[in-house]
Amino acid sequence: GVYFLYQALQRDLVRAPLRIQKMVEPNATLASVDPARFWGSYRPGVYFGMKTRSPYSPVMGMMWMNQFQTSPDRPLSIRHWCSQSDGLARYGWLAHDGFNFGIHEAVDSHYSIMSDFVKRPTVGKHGGDWTARIKVSHEASRKPSDPAPPVLMSVLVYMALDPEGRVLGEKLSPLLTGKDRLKRIRGYSPHLGNFHLSIDSATDSVTYNHLVTYASSLDQLHDIVQRALQTRSLGGKASRGGEEGFYLALPGVKMPSGMPQTAANFLVSQITFTTPLEVEIRYESEDSGRAESLTGAAYEQELVRHVNEFNKKFNNKFSLSKKDYNDDYIKFAKATLSNMLGGIGYFYGQSLVTSVEAEGEKLPYWAAPLYTGVPSRSFFPRGFLWDEGFHNLLIGTWDRRLTLDIVGHWFDLVNVEGWIPREQILGAEARARVPEEFILQHSKNANPPTFFLPLKKIVDDVRANPMDKEGLEFLRKLFPRLKYWYSYYENTQSGKLNSTYRWRGRNATNIYELNPKTLTSGLDDYPRASHPTDDERHVDLRCWMALSSGVMADLAKIFNVSSHSYATTHATLMDNERLNELHWSERTRRYADFGLHTDAVRLERPEVRLAPGQRPPSNPPQKIRVVRGEPSPQLIDNSYGYVNLFPLLLRILDPDSPHLEQTIQDMRALLWTRFGLRSLEKKAPMYGKHNTEHDPAYWRGAIWINMNYLAVSALKHYSTEAGPYKDLAAAAYKELRQNLVRNIYDQYVTTGYVWEQYDDESGRGKGSHPFTGWSALVVSIMAEQY
Ligand code: 6A9
């Protein structure tokens, strides 16, 4: 009996929260405590939308569509969730301050859609009011020789209540003018009180329709609209590009059978027009002591005021004009920063987790909020652990309050084992974007502890400035949680030998992978030992632990508790001799992983033996890995790339180490391109290779900006430390910085986007886009803030 009880407890440990003081109290983000950030554009996965920082917040959003497709075989495409397949020429925030306002631009095939918002957070007790404006016009950049015909299109503005968290009394009701025009939505929710949303358009030549319905889940909104649209007569107005006189319209009230209209939770106002159009959306809390609505000229004035403040703050923080950047570069930097800030979302929900003790059973983590940046609004608009450490290097420079709050939210996700799940898939909208097999998070899997990068800055702030009470109190609260998190790495990711470390989560039995992926390291398919074993040791993780133990030792000193064990670990991990014993290859003169390895691996299609008369299968079997050599324990020093740079990247190398010189020289000889450092040298056996028949190379050549950020920042560091390689570092720094900035900028201008990776041959943006997670660190690189 006792044994089974014990087992049950073990099974549940993975989803047991750490029961010490929370970083973010349950009401801390609500309007009553923090009105300034209650409302915001916290839905980074949609082109434009607003919600609040409360669990199961009501959401406002926008969709748009062409009334008639250019070709009949293309299905009607309603723009809503950011998606690469929409093929927008560009979209993103041009300005966003993380608090008060934002200006967003989206350029579709024949028109551009500007959407902006301004908040007035302190009006009343419920988080105040905001106004948003949507302007649709012909794309300004079209060639005059190629005038676009006015397009018949629809903008759809909606509000929805999250059915997952529906509470008693929460409601939305329509106020119509005429038969079909939804001009106002009135609503009530416990956090918002009574409110209304008014939707006004200045243009006359428009047709109105609406939808009042029930959505069973927030990820259904697009499909519900698509299914509800019906062909209608335009009533004499001519349409273009499609059937004369007809268009697609929402049908009005359409509740699921048996459900009363009072149960409606999804209300849509459809405005059909030929460009241009201007719509004003006013959210107003009804308890307010507001003097007047934020509308028309008053709105414009407020927007301009915020833009001016944004510009001022930007100049203060980044001083780019002092660095000889012209206006176009500065505009680019402002937009890139704004996309990082406008990408910040507020999520609420439960991860699905498992552990060794739970034997793979899918268990729900506790329901929790997460305020976080996201790497990419189109492809993965959700939180990723090691991405977020990088994000906050930039976010923290802009406004440290945002970083304290983001880091606080993340650390409230620590469980009793000290683990934080790597990928945060919270809420219906987030979950709907992730295929089933990727949702489960395993507690044996870590991810680089990059939060120590922005935390180191806060520690430095606090040490430099005794008046920094805000920083000090934050660290005091965080420290107990950090101890658990840090210990998790020591306890679960250590290697067999003393002061070695090993990423868990490599799969030694998958027959399709050329090299078993190390997703936990963040570098996914970057080549490691061909045969994962417990004897492996990973040099990147060892360096991450050197950084982490150093920050922990500093914190212990600040708070006057014994720093002994952290300081000892740190000293050991910083000891270049020990590092050399474990990871330096005399043969190839480079730092490297150690493990059971052979380069003689290939993907081959298994032969299909056919019985006489048997027909070959229509789908040939997938290629599998074939090992032609005998693996042996060794340093993985036959290829060169990001992993070999880590002792430099994280500044573990002593400034006078000859290995520093060697590393800089190799970096220049093997990884250098005109666009930044490539992830893997060209003559590496795995360079450019697929990892399975269907997985193309990812970290096998392409240029990644997070690693390049670490490289420039480390080179800058070594260029200012006294030592024989100072000038070597300075020269590399200068050139690498220029290469990175120039190419990311050029690509932004020619493609409209900042990208996940850059091609090492052509410099071209690759992978998911827009990717204004760590690639946005180009702003820090421009400003030389590391
Ligand atoms: C899985 C597919 C529609 C991969 O930027 C986030 C991460 C990084 O942390 C990691 O270092 N990216 C990098 O190697 C993107 C991960 C995307 C996972 C998507 C589900 C959805 O298909």
Side-chain angles (χ1 to χ4, degrees), residues 356-584:
V356 175
E357 293 77 13
E359 294 165 354
E361 189 188 334
K362 293 181 186 171
L363 301 170
Y365 219 49
W366 65 91
L370 183 61
Y371 174 62
T372 183
V374 302
S376 169
R377 288 174 59 199
S378 57
F379 213 61
F380 18 92
R382 52 183 177 272
F384 288 80
L385 184 61
W386 89 304
D387 295 66
E388 204 50 30
F390 284 107
H391 297 171
N392 279 282
L393 288 164
L394 178 60
I395 295 172
T397 314
W398 173 250
D399 201 308
R400 200 180 66 176
R401 289 170 297 170
L402 300 178
T403 286
L404 301 189
D405 208 357
I406 289 172
V407 174
H409 274 88
W410 273 92
F411 276 86
D412 279 344
L413 294 171
V414 175
N415 77 358
V416 286
E417 303 168 296
W419 176 63
I420 303 178
R422 170 163 55 109
E423 189 171 341
Q424 294 289 332
I425 308 165
L426 306 179
E429 276 189 300
R431 199 170 288 182
R433 286 188 183 241
V434 186
E436 190 61 31
E437 70 265 30
F438 295 112
I439 291 182
L440 191 61
Q441 307 287 306
H442 200 297
S443 75
K444 74 173 192 295
N445 293 339
N447 203 206
T450 54
F451 275 122
F452 283 107
L453 295 167
L455 285 174
K456 193 170 167 37
K457 288 190 170 198
I458 299 170
V459 167
D460 291 345
D461 287 351
V462 166
R463 288 206 297 198
N465 178 6
M467 302 303 285
D468 183 3
K469 292 280 174 282
E470 179 196 56
L472 184 67
E473 285 321 305
F474 170 80
L475 292 176
R476 190 193 305 284
K477 222 161 136 189
L478 184 68
F479 189 40
R481 290 183 170 268
L482 265 181
K483 285 190 207 160
Y484 276 87
W485 195 53
Y486 174 82
S487 300
Y488 164 84
Y489 287 85
E490 287 288 359
N491 297 337
T492 69
Q493 312 290 311
S494 288
K496 262 195 178 166
L497 298 182
N498 256 341
S499 88
T500 65
Y501 295 87
R502 174 168 65 88
W503 293 113
R504 304 306 199 268
R506 301 191 69 201
N507 181 346
T509 59
N510 184 320
I511 59 168
Y512 301 110
E513 285 182 304
L514 184 59
N515 186 266
K517 280 198 296 286
T518 319
L519 292 168
T520 45
S521 74
L523 310 177
D524 294 21
D525 65 340
Y526 185 93
R528 309 272 184 167
S530 60
H531 291 69
T533 62
D534 291 357
D535 293 322
E536 233 175 312
R537 43 183 196 257
H538 294 123
V539 65
D540 53 335
L541 182 49
R542 191 175 191 278
C543 295
W544 285 121
M545 294 309 290
L547 167 80
S548 309
S549 54
V551 178
M552 290 305 288
D554 288 347
L555 282 166
K557 273 185 220 123
I558 290 177
F559 296 117
N560 258 325
V561 296
S562 166
S563 61
H564 184 72
S565 76
Y566 300 124
T568 315
T569 305
H570 184 57
T572 309
L573 295 178
M574 293 301 287
D575 176 0
N576 279 211
E577 270 176 41
R578 183 84 182 114
L579 172 68
N580 295 345
E581 280 164 30
L582 291 165
H583 289 289
W584 179 258

Side-chain angles (χ1 to χ4, degrees), residues 652-667:
I652 315 300
L653 287 177
D654 297 332
D656 57 1
S657 165
H659 297 348
L660 174 61
E661 179 182 36
Q662 181 73 47
T663 307
I664 297 176
Q665 279 168 355
D666 282 347
M667 168 195 264

